[in-house]
Amino acid sequence: MLHCGMREQDARTLRRQSAVLCKQLVVDELLIQCLQADDILTESMAENIMAEQTSQKRSWRLQLLLPKRGPKAFSSFCSALRATDQQHLCDLLTQTSETNGNGTHVETCVDSSVPLPTQEAVPAKRARAHESLEVSLDADSPINTPVLPCTPDFYLSHFQQSYKMASSPRGFALVISNVTFNPCAAPELDPRKGGEVDDEVLRKVFTELEYSVTVQRDLTAQGIKTCIQNFSGRPEHRSVDSCVVCLLSHGVEGAVYGIDGELLQLDWVFEAFDNAHCPLLQNKPKMFFIQACRGDEMDCGVEQIDGPSRTSSPSCEQRDAGREGEKDAEGRQRGDICRPRIKLPQRSDMICGFASLKGTAAMRNTKRGSWFIQELNTALRLHARDRHLADILVQVNRRIKDREGYAPGTCPPPLQGNV
């Protein structure tokens, strides 16, 4: 006889452990993605679960659905727990299921096609705080699941519309992270607690994306400038297909601070990689990620009174480039117009992700790192295989908006601005 639901033994296990799951289970986007990949959850089910405001409510809704999703739902759920560093819950469920089944063998839940995440001294059970706020913050910890690979079919159907990304390494990545500032030269700049988490998260994710990553910490403004000059001038850029630059520091609109309290203009940073100053990266994607405040205002939001539940606008800004100047007119007078040329705008093939809007502060968890870097890490690991970076940044923007659903005028500790 065919059963359309979960095995009674497994369903009974979920019912027995429902209280523990509601208290300890972290239902985040990664776990939901794993269940969707196994066809356990439909897209509408996933959206309904993630629409719940707390992890406990998401857990409860998921537990109501799982027993109805077929005989493989239990093993897929256990596999998702492993992939999201919740091994202790997987062990709890499988041990209980084995006991309930009177020694009946329980199907193992490891998908051999997906490598398990590496664990670096991870405790057997995640530390949980009693306050619901802390539970929510713990759910937002950086994920360690391996970067999901692109399928051959997807690559073959999209590579002609994409940048060439075949070099090994894919490119060079530079991460500059200012955490501790000079108390004498910059007494107004507090240490960026949690910033050390960010640069390690970026190092790991870009290494897994096959970049050669260099991390520099605690540089003066001149030190940042020298480091970027040396990096943009590397002759090895000729043989790679892309470039990544990450700047993490305190900042203001259009500039970031060195540890000496001096400002470095971001416009100069972009100029160092433009087509005139960095010809070895012409026609290659150059990606910038800026984790810094762009002002000191707090965006605590307003109550929505009309419109869809989620805006479709990515709030992007564009600026025209590539104007012809006086030198071009002089060239035409010399007769160069007869020689066919390919002209590039001064700046092209660049994209930049900012942690905050103009004039506002960027948020950072003092234990788990910056909101922007956390969400960027998650999105890159899950979607670098099949989404344009611009779409990934839109998703990051939306996820950060979801985090800002706290009461207007309040900011949940232990968060602080990057200003």
Side-chain angles (χ1 to χ4, degrees):
M1 178 179 178
L2 295 176
H3 295 276
C4 60
M6 182 182 290
R7 292 189 309 167
E8 178 57 32
Q9 170 186 330
D10 297 333
R12 186 163 57 248
T13 296
L14 287 178
R15 288 195 297 270
R16 286 191 175 187
Q17 302 299 338
S18 61
V20 176
L21 291 173
C22 279
K23 184 181 295 185
Q24 298 187 13
L25 176 63
V26 175
V27 181
D28 55 14
E29 184 176 353
L30 175 60
L31 185 135
I32 296 300
Q33 290 269 352
C34 291
L35 294 174
Q36 283 185 277
D38 287 345
D39 293 325
I40 303 302
L41 296 179
T42 65
E43 186 173 350
S44 61
M45 290 175 181
E47 290 177 353
N48 289 335
I49 292 172
M50 295 306 294
E52 297 290 353
Q53 295 300 311
T54 66
S55 186
Q56 290 91 338
K57 290 182 179 179
R58 292 194 290 268
S59 174
W60 181 246
R61 183 178 286 273
L62 176 60
Q63 290 180 62
L64 293 177
L65 286 172
L66 283 176
K68 307 172 185 177
R69 300 306 298 165
K72 294 183 178 180
F74 185 80
S75 61
S76 293
F77 180 50
C78 291
S79 180
L81 291 175
R82 280 195 173 107
T84 54
D85 289 338
Q86 300 183 78
Q87 179 69 46
H88 64 289
L89 293 178
C90 179
D91 294 341
L92 177 67
L93 293 177
T94 53
Q95 291 168 6
T96 304
S97 183
E98 288 172 354
T99 302
N100 290 341
N102 297 321
T104 303
H105 175 69
V106 178
E107 178 184 358
T108 57
C109 49
V110 179
D111 182 353
S112 60
S113 65
V114 180
L116 291 176
T118 57
Q119 302 207 2
E120 300 175 1
V122 177
K125 181 176 179 180
R126 287 202 225 179
R128 310 294 300 185
H130 295 292
E131 298 296 330
S132 60
L133 176 62
E134 290 300 321
V135 170
S136 174
L137 290 174
D138 189 64
D140 292 327
S141 299
I143 65 171
N144 292 319
T145 186
V147 172
L148 298 181
C150 177
T151 64
D153 289 343
F154 184 88
Y155 175 79
L156 291 174
S157 62
H158 290 80
F159 79 96
Q160 290 182 329
Q161 293 82 39
S162 306
Y163 283 103
K164 176 178 172 288
M165 280 290 203
S167 63
S168 181
R170 296 284 185 260
F172 298 102
L174 174 64
V175 179
I176 297 178
S177 176
N178 283 348
V179 176
T180 305
F181 293 78
N182 188 321
C184 298
E188 73 283 3
L189 298 178
D190 295 326
R192 297 181 59 254
K193 296 179 180 179
E196 66 281 356
V197 177
D198 288 339
D199 56 61
E200 178 62 12
V201 165
L202 291 172
R203 184 193 66 79
K204 285 184 177 180
V205 70
F206 283 112
T207 297
E208 291 184 42
L209 286 167
E210 300 187 41
Y211 283 83
S212 176
V213 184
T214 300
V215 178
Q216 298 286 342
R217 185 179 288 180
D218 294 345
L219 301 179
T220 64
Q222 182 58 48
I224 297 174
K225 191 170 186 178
T226 301
C227 184
I228 288 176
Q229 284 176 327
N230 293 337
F231 180 77
S232 65
R234 292 184 63 169
E236 296 92 337
H237 285 305
R238 181 187 302 276
S239 60
V240 298
D241 292 334
S242 61
C243 170
V244 175
V245 176
C246 305
L247 297 179
L248 299 80
S249 186
H250 290 300
V252 296
E253 173 56 34
V256 294
Y257 281 103
I259 62 169
D260 55 350
E262 298 296 322
L263 285 168
L264 177 66
Q265 297 298 316
L266 290 176
D267 197 56
W268 178 90
V269 176
F270 302 141
E271 183 181 84
F273 293 89
D274 67 22
N275 291 319
H277 295 85
C278 191
L280 296 182
L281 287 173
Q282 288 181 0
N283 298 312
K284 300 176 182 180
K286 295 166 279 286
M287 295 159 277
F288 301 87
F289 302 100
I290 312 298
Q291 172 58 49
C293 288
R294 303 172 72 185
D296 55 7
E297 295 181 14
M298 297 300 298
D299 184 359
C300 291
V302 296
E303 292 187 14
Q304 178 173 298
I305 59 175
D306 195 9
S309 60
R310 195 188 288 273
T311 177
S312 60
S313 170
S315 301
C316 292
E317 298 177 352
Q318 295 180 329
R319 180 178 179 180
D320 291 335
R323 295 189 301 250
E324 292 191 354
E326 295 179 0
K327 291 184 179 180
D328 299 308
E330 294 174 0
R332 286 194 297 272
Q333 293 175 2
R334 293 195 304 267
D336 291 346
I337 191 67
C338 299
R339 184 170 63 247
R341 295 181 300 168
I342 298 176
K343 284 201 64 177
L344 295 172
Q346 184 82 3
R347 295 182 188 175
S348 63
D349 309 294
M350 289 184 174
I351 188 168
C352 185
F354 287 95
S356 60
L357 298 174
K358 287 184 177 180
T360 62
M363 299 308 299
R364 171 170 33 85
N365 185 293
T366 57
K367 294 181 180 179
R368 300 175 183 90
S370 306
W371 286 7
F372 174 66
I373 300 301
Q374 289 181 51
E375 295 298 346
L376 179 65
N377 170 60
T378 301
L380 287 174
R381 289 179 176 277
L382 296 176
H383 302 301
R385 60 175 179 167
D386 57 12
R387 290 193 188 177
H388 191 287
L389 182 57
D391 296 328
I392 289 177
L393 290 177
V394 170
Q395 181 186 19
V396 170
N397 176 58
R398 288 174 172 171
R399 293 279 295 175
I400 292 176
K401 284 183 180 178
D402 288 344
R403 290 185 179 221
E404 293 172 346
Y406 46 84
T410 66
C411 297
L415 301 176
Q416 63 183 50
N418 266 339
V419 179

